[in-house]
Amino acid sequence: MVRTSARKRWAVPVAVAALSVAGLAACSSGGDSGSAVPGAGGGGKQDDLVAAAPVAANLPAGSTMEKIRKRGQLIVGGSLDAPLLSQQNPATKKVEGLDADFGRLLAKYIIGKPEVKIVNSASETREALLSNGTVDVVLQTYSITPERAKQVAFAGPYYSSGLVIATKKDKTGIALPADLKGKTVIAGANTPAIPAIKKVAPDAKIVTFGSDPECVQALKQGRGDAYVQDEAVLLATAKQDPSIKIQGKPFTSDPYGIGLKHGDAQMKQFVNDWLKQIQASGLWAKVWKNSIGTVVEGEAPQPPAIGSAPGSQ
C-alpha cells in the first residue's frame, strides 16, 4: 500500500448500482482546475494517459477479451468514493485515481477505447461478482492472499501498499502496532486489517463497519481508539481532514491484484502481459504520479514483480 483511499474496497455496500463511465469520450470535458477530489488528475492528464496507452493487436477467438471487445465496454468491479484510487469528482462527474486510470487503460488495450462501466462492489461481494460474470475484472485495492486465490484469479500484483494506524489528532499513547494492546480498534468489515490487528494485539477489541467513511466517522466520534486501514486510503483522508493523524509507517505489506474469474488462465496471462507493457513503457509511473503521487513526494516507486505475491502465480 504506498502504500493506498485506496479504500479497502469494501467501501460501498451496493453490489449492483452501476455507473457507466464511457471512458473519456463522455468524461473528459473540462480542464485541470476546480477539482474537489484530492489527487484528482484533470481531464487533460487522463487524455494524455489514454493517448499513450497500447492496444492489443489480435485477440484469440472465443476468448474473454474478444467478448469484451465485441461488447464495447469493460465492466469493472470498483468504487466511486476512494480518494486517490477511484473517486467520482463531484464537479466533473469523472471517476479519477489510480485504479480508475488502470481500468481505463486496460479497457483501451482490449477494446481500443477507454470504455468502462464501474459496478460498485463491497469486499463481501467481489468474489460473487466475478464468479457469476457480473463484472469482467475487479480493480479495487484487492489485496492478493492465498485464501482469496482459491476463489478468484489474480493478475499482478500491480501495486503494493500496507496497513497503517490512524487516530484523532490529539490522541496520545498510540504510535506503534504494539500500542493497540487492550484498545478498541476500528477496521473495515472483511478486510486484511482484522487478522493484522489480531496478530499485533490479540486482546484488542475490534469493531467493524462496512465502509471507509463509516470507519472514519466512528473514529471521530470516539467509538474506537484507533483505525487500521490501507495507507493509501488514509493518506487522502488525513489530507482532507486535519483532525485525523496517521501514526507511524505501514506495518504490513499488501500486494494489490486485478481480480479475474477463477480458471480463466488466458485472461490472466493477457492482463499480466498488459501490466508488463505499461510498466516497461513508463505509463505505470505516470498513472502513479497522476494519483498517489499528488500527495506522496518523490518519484514513482518500482512496481511489484508480476507473480511475486503468494496467490498470484
Side-chain angles (χ1 to χ4, degrees):
M1 304 176 158
V2 118
R3 297 144 1 344
T4 209
S5 169
R7 278 104 205 311
K8 233 46 205 167
R9 296 333 339 148
W10 33 277
V12 184
V14 183
V16 295
L19 171 73
S20 179
V21 184
L24 301 178
C27 298
S28 62
S29 60
D32 291 345
S33 63
S35 172
V37 182
K45 291 182 180 180
Q46 289 181 342
D47 286 343
D48 291 343
L49 290 172
V50 170
V55 179
N58 299 303
L59 301 179
S63 65
T64 300
M65 301 80 76
E66 185 188 53
K67 293 175 183 176
I68 295 170
R69 179 174 285 184
K70 287 181 177 179
R71 182 201 302 144
Q73 189 177 59
L74 179 69
I75 304 176
V76 176
S79 306
L80 299 176
D81 66 343
L84 302 179
L85 301 173
S86 185
Q87 183 176 44
Q88 187 174 39
N89 186 318
T92 65
K93 303 305 179 183
K94 299 178 215 171
V95 182
E96 303 165 331
L98 185 86
D99 286 345
D101 280 344
F102 280 136
R104 273 186 285 271
L105 298 187
L106 179 57
K108 183 183 177 184
Y109 190 61
I110 299 173
I111 303 166
K113 301 177 182 179
E115 299 289 339
V116 175
K117 179 170 80 171
I118 295 177
V119 175
N120 276 334
S121 58
S123 59
E124 297 90 344
T125 63
R126 291 179 295 201
E127 288 82 7
L129 292 173
L130 285 168
S131 64
N132 65 24
T134 300
V135 302
D136 301 311
V137 302
V138 169
L139 265 163
Q140 195 183 38
T141 63
Y142 203 177
S143 297
I144 301 172
T145 67
E147 184 173 357
R148 284 175 172 169
K150 295 176 182 177
Q151 302 180 65
V152 301
F154 285 105
Y158 69 94
Y159 189 69
S160 183
S161 187
L163 295 170
V164 291
I165 300 167
T167 66
K168 292 168 66 172
K169 187 174 183 179
D170 58 358
K171 183 73 174 179
T172 60
I174 299 178
L176 302 170
D179 297 331
L180 297 177
K181 181 179 180 180
K183 300 294 195 299
T184 298
V185 184
I186 297 165
N190 193 34
T191 67
I194 297 172
I197 296 166
K198 291 179 179 179
K199 183 176 181 179
V200 299
D203 63 345
K205 178 184 177 182
I206 301 173
V207 292
T208 63
F209 298 90
S211 72
D212 181 62
E214 289 176 287
C215 288
V216 171
Q217 184 66 18
L219 178 66
K220 295 173 69 171
Q221 292 173 343
R223 298 164 72 180
D225 301 296
Y227 172 31
V228 173
Q229 171 60 295
D230 183 274
E231 185 188 38
V233 175
L234 287 176
L235 281 171
T237 298
K239 184 177 178 67
Q240 287 179 299
D241 191 337
S243 72
I244 302 297
K245 181 180 180 180
I246 296 176
Q247 302 285 357
K249 300 294 184 181
F251 63 94
T252 66
S253 178
D254 297 316
Y256 295 163
I258 298 175
L260 307 167
K261 189 171 185 177
H262 199 273
D264 193 342
Q266 193 176 45
M267 178 65 167
K268 177 175 176 176
Q269 184 62 54
F270 178 87
V271 177
N272 278 336
D273 289 344
W274 164 74
L275 283 171
K276 292 174 183 177
Q277 285 190 47
I278 65 170
Q279 288 177 2
S281 69
L283 195 55
W284 185 97
K286 291 179 180 179
V287 171
W288 184 91
K289 289 292 286 185
N290 194 38
S291 53
I292 294 170
T294 61
V295 298
V296 176
E297 295 182 358
E299 295 302 312
Q302 186 70 22
I306 304 301
S308 60
S312 66
Q313 296 81 5

